[in-house]
Amino acid sequence: MAFDYVVVGGGSAGCVLANRLSEERDVTVCLLEAGPPDRHPLIHMPMGIIWMMRSKTLNWNFYTEGEPEMGGRRMFWPRGRTLGGSSSSNAMCYLRGHPADYDEWAALGNPGWSFADVLPYFKRSENQERGTSPYHGTGGPLNVADLRSPNRLTDVFIDAGLEAGLAFNKDFNGESPEGVGPFQVTQKGGRRCSTARGYLKPVRSRPNLTVITDAYATRVLFEGKRAVGVEYRHQGALRKVGAEQEVILSAGAIQSPRLLMLSGVGDRQQLEDTGVEVRHHLPGVGQNLQDHLDIILVQACTRPVSYGITWRTVLRGGVDLVRYAHSGRGMFTTNGAEGCAVARSSPGETRPDLQFHFSPGKLRDHARDLLFLCGEGYSLHVCNLRPKSRGDIRLTSADPAAPLAIRANYLTHPDDVEHMLRGFKLARRILGASAFAPYRGVEIVPGDKVQSDDEIRDFIRAKAETIYHPIGTCKMGDAARDPLAVVDARLRVHGLDGLRVVDASIMPLLVGGNTNAPTVMIAEKAADMIKADRGTTVQPRAIRAA
Ligand SMILES: Cc1cc2nc3c(=O)[nH]c(=O)nc-3n(C[C@H](O)[C@H](O)[C@H](O)COP(=O)(O)OP(=O)(O)OC[C@H]3O[C@@H](n4cnc5c(N)ncnc54)[C@H](O)[C@@H]3O)c2cc1C
């Protein structure tokens, strides 16, 4: 079996590539996805995200190593493991980041990645239900919508943000991402619009597109320095698939570097230490790991309005399930993070450095703590948008089934905890605003005892968690300027032929927002580059299936 393109990973990026590359009918594309098809109904029901967090089969359930600045805690890192990848298990918040984030990518030596360059790809991907504008597109596969049945507490949060001095922002992806307002979400008709639903499903019947699920890629196959195929495990057997043009890794920020390392591409010393034969020394693979660290304040609610598990919501659940099934409305359409604020922690910040997610329910441990979800309450997340701490991902063994060593190294840069501290204080101000007065019960987390700056810092170290945006482990950059660059501005792996990485791992720096929309944009842009380069950089070859 051989195809023109083999795409590894059917996630946010992989589904976009499968669609765009197979638009050309004379091109054959194979998409390998380690997880099963996305048939489970709770994938598509927005509130099903609570269940996705606990799934043993549709979630990779990674853990970091003990984090040195977080009391040695091993942090839970969920990632989607089905068609759509993490876009099938994420919170659907649609936020692209700050325009200057992309200008910064370009200034690092990545021509073609300024905001002006990438905006057309954001627009191309989008079906913005509010219509077109200079910042938004319609007719694209990714449906972007307003929440159909927002909780009334979300309006209260917005009023509280205004009281705290933030400006109202109806469109965080318009002129400026700063202010407070409702999130737009990647949903269609009240159901999740993953990239599997938006991009893949409509084109599954194309004869030139082959999708293989439950196919875990174990390494890239090479002839010399040229990628010629992929080895993968499927139905208990090791198989091979050939790539006559290119192999494209879209396995995400954790697993694209893993695959490169398993294939002998990475830091020479590290690979030798784990018993992997070195194919190409590329020291940046798995380095430059960045993530948004997040702390949650939780408040009891004195009125029966939240989405906490109570007799009221259980009884209402039956009615709302029918509403959901019939009209895609009601509480099951909540994405769990309905209100957004983007703000500066101090006037000296040149760009907003904080993002807040407001949830109309009590959250702890990624909503895995169902007991804590019981009772009326609401939560406010705050994260530092541009952390300076850097982590890494390493193999622990040459065995593709062995666990990875993930170190986020959260808060190892001293500035990071100070942004979080200021963010925490602003979060408390918002929750303390008079708009919340009719609803405000006691502060459950962290509670009254946490007051001084040191107490807040300790609380952050003890309780902060990921808000699920790991990036940067195959970073894009100019190899002449940056020894840790893994791919060039056309996303080709430095020093190798026929191999690209296209997913969140190529971001050189975190954007000041959520990472799904930027990943979709990256894949849209990559598809154009791959099409333009077709036949120019590689020679046809063939690997036949084993
Ligand atoms: C719980 C959660 C909530 C989030 N909330 C939001 C949000 O609200 N808004 C937002 O913008 N972003 C959010 N994100 C982040 C966003 O979803 C991700 O940044 C984005 O999906 C990353 O896309 P990707 O293509 O890089 O990786 P993924 O979408 O994770 O895709 C990688 C795919 O590769 C597959 N794969 C991995 N290894 C192999 C292998 N060896 N062989 C074959 N297949 C393989 C995986 O199963 C997966 O399907 C969230 C993420 C999570 C996990």
Side-chain angles (χ1 to χ4, degrees), residues 436-455:
F436 272 117
Y439 303 91
R440 192 168 39 241
V442 294
E443 184 183 278
I444 301 171
V445 181
D448 288 350
K449 290 209 173 76
V450 175
Q451 294 299 341
S452 72
D453 285 4
D454 277 345
E455 285 164 354

Side-chain angles (χ1 to χ4, degrees), residues 104-114 117 476-478 481 487-489 508:
E104 199 173 5
W105 290 8
L108 288 170
N110 299 301
W113 290 91
S114 71
D117 293 317
M476 170 171 70
D478 176 357
R481 280 167 63 176
V487 297
D488 67 8

Side-chain angles (χ1 to χ4, degrees), residues 262-319:
L262 286 170
S263 315
V265 181
D267 180 73
R268 179 185 304 282
Q269 191 60 52
Q270 264 187 47
L271 293 178
E272 285 172 357
D273 290 348
T274 40
V276 177
E277 193 184 324
V278 179
R279 163 119 359 224
H280 182 64
H281 173 61
L282 202 54
V285 176
Q287 301 296 305
N288 189 47
L289 175 62
Q290 298 162 50
D291 188 24
H292 286 147
L293 183 70
D294 180 79
I295 190 78
I296 310 180
L297 289 82
V298 185
Q299 198 88 38
C301 182
T302 53
R303 291 195 181 181
V305 288
S306 75
Y307 286 150
I309 303 172
T310 61
W311 284 115
R312 181 184 58 81
T313 48
V314 169
L315 291 174
R316 184 180 150 188
V319 177

Side-chain angles (χ1 to χ4, degrees), residues 8-14 32-35 49 53 60 78-82 84-87 89-93 215-217 250-253 255 259 467-469 503-505 514-517 519:
V8 179
S12 295
L32 297 177
E33 166 54 42
I49 183 176
M53 289 289 189
W60 288 92
R79 306 312 292 166
R81 184 180 172 277
T82 179
S86 298
S87 75
S89 65
N90 69 14
M92 294 154 271
C93 303
Y216 178 64
S250 297
Q255 307 216 66
L259 259 175
I467 197 150
Y468 322 115
H469 298 157
D503 57 28
S505 70
N514 306 71
T515 45
N516 188 54
T519 306

